[in-house]
DNA sequence: ATCCTATCCTGTAGGC
DNA sequence: TGCCTACAGGATAGGA
């Protein structure tokens, strides 16, 4: 479940550790990932030098000389590992092994094989289907309340699902979508099109804050994610609701609730998030009893 | 157009 | 203890 902060952490470390190195050889496992790794990859990479490591949303763009980019997505369990020259390591599920001329190694490991390795001419990146579909990256273009509200206009999607829709805003996944909504005090079941301008301002502000804090903490380690050196991220300690079902809300003590939206778990505090502007309040006609209860 | 569902995959947690 | 099932979810194709 690497989301934007985890991918950004990997990007920074790769940029520091392998930029400027020249590829001597590449070996593939033969297993397919989300799509097959191009069989031509070893031949096309040999002799090229890594010039830059960039990121768009959850995609890593490893830029090589002579107009070629490795487009990589970590999926659920993908990992890039950097091996120092001479370092020996036995690991299962390694699908690509890059060896540089100085002896440094760069491996792509992916247990669940939802990841992606694709070669794209750098000049064509904007036209690649995976990238062309993406909405704005919230680090490159920090979201504003007005901007999000415009994108959500008329949408009946639950706001939690909306935040995870990479075509609307690209980079949030299941963990940070739940965190953002708790911090903004919004019920995840609300229709995205029904949020007030002030509520969108809160969402935008919390997206900016959560991403900045999570990047500073080198991401959240949940099960398999590690940095390229194998260290866990620190942001997991800061999570307020994710994977905390039945534990007390840090703000009010109410047990955190887990629901399922779009086949995914959502965690939220029924007291801090919802309250008066909760979803479908007016479903049943008000009786005197319910009116009194308010 | 918009939204929803099933699918890919494997390690792990929980039940019995 | 060991077997079995359910669950975790990012992206996407296809259906309603």
């Amino acid at each position: 479940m690497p989301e934007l902060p985890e991918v950004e952490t990997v990007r920074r470390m790769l940029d520091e550790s392998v930029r400027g190195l020249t590829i001597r050889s590449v070996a593939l496992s033969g297993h397919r990932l989300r799509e097959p790794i191009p069989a031509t990859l070893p031949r096309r990479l040999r002799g090229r030098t890594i010039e830059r490591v960039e990121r768009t949303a959850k995609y890593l763009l490893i830029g090589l000389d002579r107009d070629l980019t490795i487009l990589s997505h970590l999926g659920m369990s993908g990992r890039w590992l950097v091996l120092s020259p001479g370092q020996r390591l036995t690991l299962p599920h390694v699908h690509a092994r890059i060896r540089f001329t100085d002896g440094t190694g760069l491996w792509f490991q992916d247990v669940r094989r939802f990841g992606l390795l694709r070669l794209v001419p750098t000049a064509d990146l904007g036209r690649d289907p995976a990238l062309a579909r993406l909405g704005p990256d919230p680090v490159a273009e920090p979201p504003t309340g007005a901007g999000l509200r415009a994108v959500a206009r008329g949408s009946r999607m639950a706001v939690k699902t909306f935040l995870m829709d990479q075509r609307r805003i690209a980079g949030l996944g299941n963990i940070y979508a739940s965190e953002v909504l708790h911090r903004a005090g919004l019920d995840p079941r609300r229709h995205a099109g029904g949020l007030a301008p002030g509520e969108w301002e809160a969402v935008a502000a919390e997206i900016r804050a959560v991403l900045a804090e999570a990047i500073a903490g080198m991401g959240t380690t949940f099960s398999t994610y590690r940095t390229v050196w194998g260290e866990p991220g620190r942001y997991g300690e800061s999570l307020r609701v994710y994977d905390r079902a039945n534990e007390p809300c840090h703000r009010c003590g109410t047990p955190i609730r887990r629901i399922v939206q779009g086949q995914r778990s959502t965690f939220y505090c029924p007291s801090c998030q919802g309250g008066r502007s909760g979803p479908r309040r007016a479903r049943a006609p008000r009786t005197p009893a319910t009116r009194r209860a308010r």
Side-chain angles (χ1 to χ4, degrees):
Chain A
M1 41 212 85
E3 305 180 27
L4 189 153
E6 291 74 37
V7 180
E8 174 63 15
T9 300
V10 172
R11 184 201 71 77
R12 291 179 181 188
M13 292 188 164
L14 288 182
D15 198 51
E16 274 199 17
S17 51
V18 301
R19 179 159 43 86
L21 301 187
T22 298
I23 296 171
R24 172 190 295 166
S25 63
V26 183
L28 302 181
S29 70
H31 287 106
R32 75 173 272 145
L33 302 178
R34 187 199 312 173
E35 64 187 31
I37 301 175
T40 58
L41 191 135
R43 166 170 75 68
R44 295 183 67 191
L45 291 188
R46 191 173 308 127
R48 295 204 204 231
T49 300
I50 294 184
E51 292 187 332
R52 66 192 81 83
V53 184
E54 297 172 306
R55 178 196 57 75
T56 296
K58 303 176 195 171
Y59 288 86
L60 277 169
L61 289 71
I62 304 175
L64 305 152
D65 64 319
R66 287 171 285 150
D67 190 45
L68 194 63
T69 291
I70 304 171
L71 181 62
S72 165
H73 195 291
L74 302 178
M76 293 295 307
S77 54
R79 263 182 84 182
W80 282 102
L81 298 96
V82 176
L83 289 78
S84 359
Q87 182 180 354
R88 308 194 66 84
L89 194 56
T90 306
L91 271 186
H93 308 297
V94 177
H95 302 292
R97 291 176 161 84
I98 297 174
R99 181 65 58 184
F100 297 101
T101 53
D102 75 342
T104 299
L106 178 62
W107 290 5
F108 187 77
Q109 181 199 36
D110 188 358
V111 173
R112 280 145 93 173
R113 298 199 263 130
F114 286 2
L116 175 73
L117 288 184
R118 188 183 283 177
L119 289 181
V120 183
T122 305
D124 295 343
L125 275 174
R127 289 190 292 279
D128 187 274
L131 298 180
R133 273 191 273 265
L134 296 175
D137 178 288
V139 169
E141 301 172 58
T144 64
L148 290 176
R149 182 159 168 259
V151 175
R153 192 179 309 277
S155 172
R156 303 179 55 78
M157 216 184 256
V159 61
K160 156 68 161 30
T161 309
F162 175 91
L163 291 179
M164 289 181 63
D165 184 343
Q166 305 298 299
R167 294 167 304 181
R168 320 282 194 142
I169 176 169
L172 299 178
N174 208 37
I175 296 176
Y176 295 109
S178 279
E179 293 299 308
V180 163
L181 290 174
H182 180 263
R183 295 170 58 132
L186 288 170
D187 190 312
R189 299 167 296 179
R190 298 269 303 280
H191 289 166
L195 266 59
E199 294 176 322
W200 278 120
E201 288 301 338
V203 170
E206 297 302 343
I207 289 173
R208 300 191 301 261
V210 165
L211 292 180
E213 291 169 25
I215 290 170
M218 299 202 300
T220 302
T221 289
F222 193 81
S223 69
T224 57
Y225 161 80
R226 293 289 187 283
T227 71
V228 298
W229 302 115
E231 306 148 317
R234 290 190 306 267
Y235 191 74
E237 302 156 23
S238 308
L239 295 179
R240 305 189 185 189
V241 288
Y242 183 78
D243 200 36
R244 297 193 62 243
N246 302 316
E247 295 175 38
C249 172
H250 289 320
R251 185 190 287 158
C252 76
T254 303
I256 299 299
R257 190 172 290 173
R258 173 187 176 274
I259 59 174
V260 175
Q261 295 180 289
Q263 341 264 75
R264 299 291 176 259
S265 293
T266 296
F267 299 89
Y268 74 106
C269 171
S271 171
C272 295
Q273 299 172 255
R276 61 173 70 259
S277 47
R280 307 191 207 104
R281 266 254 154 218
R283 237 318 169 26
R286 289 279 169 81
T287 65
T290 56
R291 210 172 294 134
R292 224 177 300 120
R294 285 225 17 90

